[in-house]
Each structure stands twice: as structure tokens, then as C-alpha cells.
Amino acid sequence: MAKKIIIDTDPGIDDILALLLALSATPEEVEVLLISLTFGNIEVRNCLRNVVSMFHILEREMLWRRDNGRPEGFGALRASKPIVAVGAEDPLEDQKMLADYFHGKDGLGGIHASHPHLTPMQAWEHLFDPTPGDDGIQAVQTGGAIDEHLFTPSKKPAHEEILRALRENEPDTVTLVAVGPLTNLALAAAQDPETFLRVKEVVVMGGTVNEPGNVTPMGEFNAYADAVAAARVFALTSPNPQTTLPPTTSVRLPPYPKTLSRPLTLRLFPLDITLRHNLSRGAFRKTVSPLVDAGSPLAEWVSAFMAHTFRTLERLHPGQVGDDAELSLHDPVCVWYALTAEDSHWAASDTSPEDIRIETQGQWTRGMCVVDRRSRHPVEGDEESSSDHGLWLSRRAGNRILRMHSSPAETTFGQIILQKLFG
């Protein structure tokens, strides 16, 4: 039976590669129920333009492949149109931070200006604008032309569409892959925690434990961009979520109920594992350049924003030169796990599940994954004491995070994703 997944994302270069990887699967492998969008790498409306552009390119690509006697591919997409929903524009608290310094202002290296023929006209934007009395996706499905597209636009906020998908499917059948800031997830969990806990597991790209951060010395971008949201989602893994909820002055989200039916299963893919999955410029060029010359719309589109990516890597990192420049495939690794979770080579750390908490208030440590490295005896109580400030030692408190440590394809993942996308 096909795995059912939701992808919560902020596209973004590696986010687009992650989406393409999911949609390139067969219908027997996966059904993408929903693509929910959040701010993050760029503003959320630019994320939406990038996703719509992706579907526009895929329509052209499958036509080109058919006309040239090639397998169309993207069977999961042809079998089932995902819903696309627009979500959070801002973090729950703190000043918004974007990663446009890496991804470009539009998220794809300026492609909409440099290659306007690859971007659809913006007549589609109204399909996502809320309308009073509108129940969401049904109203836009009757519009005639929209049926020609490969996706179904929603006028509902993304967090409501996440809850809708979880209500409409049996418990423990939907995996939620979150590869941006966790704002949409935090909003969904606050609105209806029990429905949110129907999810099979949440797969999170975020944080770093033993590696340096990528936006501050301690902070990975997704955890840093909305640390409060990450802390709230992580808290649902605790036997007592109140013990790890972040201190906050926000009145926007309520605390969780004192009793919940079960804890959340959360698999964390921090920089510690994602930095070991890379795609080199040389491997990319060898595979994709002949397809650009042959007229592939997808190859032309991906080549345009990947050229920007490799130039940026050269500028930011010593040693990233020429064909040896490598893009870390942070977000695609999480989708690859969702597609191949039964592979026994996927493994969590020996210490999992771990009490990993997100720092939300530190001047220099916002977004840091905090773990207790002390050698201390655990205790049974659930009352804070002078010897256990923060309830780090209590068996009935703290988070329970499955920190992923190894994968089936650390050295070959770049080739795998090229094969999946381009055949």
C-alpha cells in the first residue's frame, strides 16, 4: 500500500528537490496528500510561486518526454493531485529571519527574472485567496481550467489543511515531513492536539547536536527561524508536555491539555546526518547537461537555479570550487526516509529516544538543540528540585526525540536523486 505523506515546506532550492523526489515516485510507493507552505527560506508567497512553477514545469516535462518516446515518470503525481495550501507568514514570536542570502530573493536564485519563460503567469494567485463562506478546496475544483493542473489549490490556511488530512485518514497512516520552520505544525497542534496526534510520525529536518549551526554557531536555520514553534512541537513527544513547553509571553497559542491520548513520534534529521548527503556540481552537470541540450524543460529549470546554488557555495565556503562544490541535500533526505522507512539501514542514534529541547530565549543560543551531557542518575519524581532544575533527570518529564544517525545511502544519495528525477 502506498505511503501517505504531507510535506510542510518553504521552497527553497533543496525543498524543490525534495518535492520532486516525492512526486517522482510510483503510485505504489507514495501518495502526496498535501503540500503545506510556510515562510522560511523566503516569504511564503514566493514559496507558493515556486511550487506553482514546479507543477507548470512538470506538465511541460511530461509532455516533452511523451513526445520524445521517453517514460513520463512522476507516477505518484499523475495518480493523485496533491492539495497545495498557504500557511504561516511569520514566526510565532521574535523577528522573522529568511535565508534569501543563500536561496535568492525569490527562493530559486532569481530564476523568475532570468528565465521568465519558465514561470507561469500569475493568474493563478486568486485561487488561494480566502473567500468568506468558502469551505476550501471544493470551491476551486469546479473552476474548469483548474482541473487541467497537477495540483488542487486550497483557500484554507495550511495548518487547517493538515488537520483535515489527518481527520480524513485513519490514525497512524499519514507521515508528516516538515522541512521548514515548524510554525504550521505548532498552529495545527494548538488548534486540535488530538487530531494532530493521529499522525503516524513527524519527520523533521532541523537542529544540530554535534555539528556547528548554519546560521549561528549553535543554531540550524529551521530551528532558529521559529524556535518557539519547534519547542512546542518537540514538547508533544514528552509524557508530560507541560514540562518542556517554552516560557513565552505570547497569548496566541494555548498550553496543551494536561492529559493527551499518546505522545507524538518525532524523527529528527539534524545537520549531523543531512550534511553527509551531498550532490556535487560535477555529478549534476554530467547527468543534466545532455538533457538541457535535448530540450528537457525540467533539466533547464533545475539547471538554472542549481547554477546559482553552486556559485553561492563557492562564495560562502572555502574549498567549494568547480566540480567539487557540493550541495547538502538536507530536505530530500527526509523525503527519502519517508519513502523508504522500512529499509533496515535507517537507524536512530544509540541514545534515542533523547531528551532534546529547543532553546527559545538565549541571546546567542536561540534555536540550539540542548541535550544533557551530564552523567547523573535518573529520578522518579515530577517535581522540580534544586538538584534537577528543568526536570532533566525525571523519568516522567522531558522530550523523547528519535535522532536519526545513519541512512542507506550516505555516499550515493546524490546519484539516487538524479536518477529519480531525470531517469
Side-chain angles (χ1 to χ4, degrees):
M1 180 180 294
K3 301 177 178 72
K4 297 180 180 182
I5 67 172
I6 296 168
I7 303 177
D8 190 78
T9 178
D10 56 336
I13 288 161
D14 57 329
D15 304 74
I16 287 291
L17 296 178
L19 290 169
L20 290 170
L21 177 60
L23 298 172
S24 70
T26 68
E28 294 74 28
E29 290 176 313
V30 72
E31 178 184 359
V32 181
L33 302 175
L34 169 67
I35 298 171
S36 56
L37 303 176
T38 177
F39 83 96
N41 291 320
I42 48 173
E43 300 285 359
V44 71
R45 279 284 162 174
N46 282 333
C47 293
L48 176 60
R49 177 168 61 168
N50 292 343
V51 167
V52 173
S53 294
M54 177 189 71
F55 285 113
H56 171 70
I57 291 297
L58 287 175
E59 283 187 307
R60 293 175 55 183
E61 175 72 8
M62 288 187 286
L63 178 62
W64 175 80
R65 292 183 183 186
R66 189 162 58 245
D67 289 347
N68 286 272
R70 299 169 181 252
E72 287 185 51
F74 299 95
L77 176 58
R78 288 185 285 113
S80 179
K81 297 194 301 184
I83 295 170
V84 175
V86 181
E89 298 180 2
D90 299 289
L92 299 181
E93 293 189 5
D94 297 314
Q95 182 176 353
K96 179 161 62 177
M97 176 184 180
L98 304 175
D100 50 11
Y101 68 92
F102 183 84
H103 295 268
K105 290 291 184 182
D106 67 357
L108 294 178
I111 194 171
H112 302 294
S114 64
H115 295 68
H117 62 290
L118 299 178
T119 301
M121 296 180 62
Q122 291 185 286
W124 47 265
E125 282 191 313
H126 73 282
L127 299 171
F128 296 88
D129 292 334
T131 302
D134 199 329
D135 68 348
I137 60 172
Q138 281 80 6
V140 299
Q141 285 178 317
T142 59
I146 194 64
D147 290 330
E148 300 172 7
H149 290 288
L150 298 173
F151 66 94
T152 300
S154 172
K155 299 190 178 190
K156 291 287 187 181
H159 72 276
E160 294 186 10
E161 287 293 356
I162 291 172
L163 292 172
R164 185 209 293 259
L166 293 174
R167 286 191 197 101
E168 292 180 352
N169 289 275
E170 292 296 317
D172 295 316
T173 61
V174 177
T175 296
L176 205 170
V177 182
V179 294
L182 297 184
T183 316
N184 287 335
L185 278 67
L187 291 169
Q191 180 170 316
D192 190 343
E194 287 297 344
T195 294
F196 188 77
L197 291 174
R198 290 167 64 94
V199 70
K200 179 179 180 181
E201 60 183 1
V202 174
V203 178
V204 172
M205 192 283 121
T208 183
V209 177
N210 296 312
E211 291 286 335
N214 58 8
V215 291
T216 70
M218 308 304 296
E220 178 276 331
F221 176 80
N222 288 339
Y224 183 94
D226 197 339
V228 170
R232 287 186 62 96
V233 174
F234 279 33
L236 284 171
T237 68
S238 173
N240 184 357
Q242 310 306 320
T243 62
T244 62
L245 279 177
T248 174
T249 58
S250 172
V251 296
R252 196 172 163 194
L253 297 184
Y256 297 126
K258 290 187 177 181
T259 58
L260 291 168
S261 60
R262 63 179 185 175
L264 176 70
T265 298
L266 190 151
R267 293 187 184 271
L268 182 66
F269 284 74
L271 295 181
D272 308 62
I273 182 171
T274 62
L275 284 171
R276 303 199 301 267
H277 296 75
N278 300 295
L279 173 62
S280 72
R281 176 191 262 150
F284 179 82
R285 179 177 51 77
K286 182 178 179 181
T287 296
V288 179
S289 292
L291 294 171
V292 175
D293 294 340
S296 161
L298 180 63
E300 181 185 5
W301 189 62
V302 175
S303 291
F305 64 72
M306 288 294 284
H308 162 87
T309 303
F310 289 123
R311 289 195 300 268
T312 303
L313 288 168
E314 286 183 324
R315 176 170 52 84
L316 293 177
H317 300 287
Q320 295 266 21
V321 179
D323 279 354
D324 293 331
E326 288 188 324
L327 173 67
S328 293
L329 299 168
H330 306 290
D331 298 343
V333 174
C334 296
V335 167
W336 185 239
Y337 166 78
L339 297 177
T340 63
E342 67 282 353
D343 191 314
S344 61
H345 291 91
W346 288 108
S349 66
D350 292 340
T351 51
S352 288
E354 298 174 76
D355 186 1
I356 301 175
R357 309 186 195 184
I358 301 293
E359 173 58 50
T360 60
Q361 296 188 316
Q363 180 181 2
W364 309 118
T365 57
R366 171 180 154 195
M368 176 183 178
C369 286
V370 181
V371 297
D372 189 352
R373 302 184 190 276
R374 300 172 295 175
S375 179
R376 300 279 296 277
H377 290 295
V379 298
E380 297 298 333
D382 53 7
E383 294 291 334
E384 190 172 72
S385 69
S386 59
S387 64
D388 185 22
H389 181 65
L391 291 171
W392 286 91
L393 303 177
S394 172
R395 295 183 189 274
R396 296 199 289 270
N399 295 331
R400 305 288 189 269
I401 305 295
L402 298 167
R403 176 168 64 91
M404 300 304 290
H405 175 69
S406 59
S407 84
E410 289 187 9
T411 60
T412 59
F413 187 53
Q415 291 295 336
I416 289 172
I417 198 168
L418 290 173
Q419 174 66 27
K420 292 291 183 180
L421 269 56
F422 297 105

